[in-house]
Amino acid sequence: EEILNSIYVFEDGVIKGFIQMGGTEICKLYVDTCFQGAGIGNALIEFAKKEFGASHLWALEKNTRAISFYNRHGFQLTGQPQCSSCRQR
C-alpha cells in the first residue's frame, strides 16, 4: 500500500505510463512501448519536478537512451552509485 501511494499514473482512458516517487527521488519511470515518443515521459517527469521537486534518480550506465532523456530534463550524471530509498522498501 505504501508503494501505491507513491505512484502517479498518466492515463486518458488507457494507462500509458507511471512514475513512482520517493521524496525527491524518481524511483521508477515507465511509459508503455506503444506510447513512447508521444510526450508522456516528458509530462511525467515535469509533473515530478513541479509537484515533488524531483532532483535525482538512478539509471544504469549502459542505458544511454534514458540518460540522454534525463539530461534533457536537467538531470546530470554524477557517476556515483547511490543507495536508493526507493529500493529499500
Side-chain angles (χ1 to χ4, degrees):
E1 187 174 317
E2 183 179 343
I3 290 174
L4 291 177
N5 290 330
S6 66
I7 293 178
Y8 304 88
V9 176
F10 183 100
E11 63 93 16
D12 59 0
V14 174
I15 295 176
K16 296 180 178 181
F18 72 86
I19 195 163
Q20 179 186 0
M21 297 300 301
T24 59
E25 180 179 10
I26 297 174
C27 299
K28 293 183 175 104
L29 175 61
Y30 173 78
V31 176
D32 187 295
T33 55
C34 295
F35 302 108
Q36 289 179 358
I40 294 165
N42 291 326
L44 287 167
I45 205 164
E46 290 303 319
F47 168 80
K49 288 167 57 177
K50 180 181 176 187
E51 297 297 321
F52 300 99
S55 61
H56 58 286
L57 53 90
W58 184 87
L60 290 172
E61 290 175 347
K62 295 179 182 181
N63 193 345
T64 56
R65 185 173 178 214
I67 291 170
S68 177
F69 171 79
Y70 296 132
N71 284 340
R72 287 193 305 273
H73 288 279
F75 294 89
Q76 299 298 315
L77 185 64
T78 65
Q80 299 295 318
Q82 298 279 325
C83 179
S84 170
S85 59
C86 299
R87 290 185 292 280
Q88 292 175 357
R89 294 183 191 160

